[in-house]
Amino acid sequence: MSEMVSVHGWMEEALSSQDEMKDSSQRQSAYDLLSGLSHEEHGSIDGEDDEEEEDDGERPKKRGPKKKKMTKARIERFRVRRVKANARERTRMHGLNDALDNLRRVMPCYSKTQKLSKIETLRLARNYIWALSEVLEQGQTAEGKGFLEMLCKGLSQPTSNLVAGCLQLGPQPMFMEKHEDKSSICDPSLTSHAYTYQSPGLPSPPYGTIEAHHLHLKPPTFKTVVDPMVNHTINCTTPPYDGALTPPLSISGNFSLKQDGSPDLDKSYAFRSHYSSLGLSGSHGHVSHFQTAVPRYEIPIDMAYEAYPHHAIFTE
DNA sequence: TAGGCCATCTGGTCCT
DNA sequence: AGGACCAGATGGCCTA
């Protein structure tokens, strides 16, 4: 790798006189122009090819076929080959990035302005597949704590918050208990964020901000799920949704409770609620109340959850 | 300023 | 010989 360093050093030196080349394509062509020759090739131009040197006792003689002398034509061929290889590699990486973008679009949450990093996209994709498999195989619902936990497993806190925000749920206490640091703040600005789709609390850095029209909540698109709780079939196939998103619900909004405390799934199917402008008013009141009541949210996380089990999205 | 993320260049390896 | 793929290095950009 020292060779590579020297190559880069050589190129950088050559490039240093071209300060204005900020544009990557410009820089790329400069690289291509200047880097047509590898370190070794470069050395060979002047007939200093190691392979052809006499053994001076300091360097062991290398095995293998002797290298051909670098003629001008050969140098040119190498240069052209290197330039072409660079272009192919760029194209290949662009293809890879396009594929990643496509993957991002089918993730449970998608934002043009707040793109998941590559690694987080892959992790979330894995979790999403896993979570949906669980839904199919074990008849779980694609909503709520369990589903969210599966989605967020192994994700960074910002990504977890993003997913939670998109699904309008906060990471739950049990989920949080996995983390050692419980002294960190609970940040209902996340809830505020969820309400307004702006990003004071959600994982803005390093990803930027979320805007409502950029958020694209993508519910799972499996065909039907038999919900054991209500023993009827829910049609979960949701058409692509491009319209404005409705403000999210609080947890209590998403999971309305019957009078006996059991979840009223007829009223609380998360994704369905998501596309409805109805049923929001109740939760709005709660969220707003919470926000005004606890302006800075410097509460230990378990305390906060006890106090506001239904209204907060807690950060790690 | 450090750290995360990214695009790009590069040389090595494998395959056709 | 040349293309695809890969991983290391590097520098730029952005944010805390």
Side-chain angles (χ1 to χ4, degrees), chain A residues 23-261:
Chain A
D23 179 58
S24 67
S25 60
Q26 277 185 308
R27 199 185 69 189
Q28 159 244 311
S29 29
Y31 264 110
D32 283 345
L33 221 74
L34 289 167
S35 63
L37 303 174
S38 71
H39 168 74
E40 196 176 310
E41 290 154 0
H42 192 231
S44 304
I45 299 173
D46 301 322
E48 295 171 2
D49 196 334
D50 291 352
E51 312 297 325
E52 300 188 327
E53 277 184 306
E54 292 292 314
D55 188 359
D56 55 9
E58 292 179 7
R59 271 182 270 182
K61 218 170 190 176
K62 289 180 186 171
R63 296 181 178 215
K66 280 196 170 183
K67 284 205 168 175
K68 290 179 187 171
K69 184 97 179 177
M70 294 300 289
T71 64
K72 256 193 167 180
R74 198 147 177 263
I75 292 168
E76 179 62 15
R77 271 211 313 281
F78 272 115
R79 191 189 69 82
V80 170
R81 193 199 303 171
R82 192 60 257 173
V83 169
K84 281 164 74 177
N86 288 347
R88 277 196 310 274
E89 180 64 8
R90 275 196 301 275
T91 305
R92 196 180 69 85
M93 294 310 294
H94 289 163
L96 190 60
N97 290 337
D98 287 348
L100 266 167
D101 266 340
N102 289 336
L103 188 56
R104 284 187 186 102
R105 289 193 182 95
V106 297
M107 286 296 102
C109 55
Y110 169 65
S111 163
K112 280 180 186 169
T113 54
Q114 191 168 359
K115 268 169 64 172
L116 291 177
S117 71
K118 293 177 176 182
I119 185 70
E120 292 291 271
T121 300
L122 294 175
R123 285 179 181 141
L124 180 56
R126 174 204 59 191
N127 290 354
Y128 195 32
I129 292 169
W130 172 45
L132 292 182
S133 301
E134 291 295 306
V135 167
L136 288 175
E137 287 171 13
Q138 304 189 11
Q140 295 182 2
T141 54
E143 64 184 61
K145 192 165 85 174
F147 192 73
L148 182 66
E149 281 173 12
M150 282 191 278
L151 283 183
C152 293
K153 195 165 180 97
L155 299 184
S156 69
Q157 189 59 44
T159 308
S160 298
N161 286 346
L162 177 61
V163 174
C166 287
L167 297 186
Q168 305 170 2
L169 289 168
Q172 305 295 301
M174 182 194 90
F175 182 57
M176 288 307 173
E177 278 164 13
K178 293 172 188 169
H179 304 287
E180 285 189 1
D181 182 12
K182 293 187 181 179
S183 62
S184 50
I185 62 169
C186 110
D187 190 353
S189 59
L190 299 182
T191 327
S192 156
H193 172 92
Y195 173 71
T196 60
Y197 283 112
Q198 291 165 357
S199 91
L202 259 191
S204 23
Y207 301 114
T209 57
I210 301 180
E211 294 162 27
H213 62 282
H214 286 146
L215 271 171
H216 179 184
L217 180 69
K218 175 112 181 174
T221 52
F222 40 84
K223 291 181 180 162
T224 56
V225 167
V226 176
D227 191 317
M229 296 290 291
V230 291
N231 200 24
H232 68 232
T233 300
I234 300 173
N235 187 347
C236 297
T237 308
T238 310
Y241 180 76
D242 294 322
L245 290 169
T246 57
L249 304 171
S250 66
I251 295 175
S252 58
N254 279 349
F255 299 99
S256 310
L257 299 182
K258 294 176 179 171
Q259 293 221 332
D260 62 1

Side-chain angles (χ1 to χ4, degrees), chain A residues 11-24:
Chain A
M11 287 193 300
E12 286 305 319
E13 200 177 325
L15 281 169
S16 63
S17 59
Q18 311 185 34
D19 296 331
E20 301 84 25
M21 289 199 211
K22 307 265 181 188
D23 179 58
S24 67

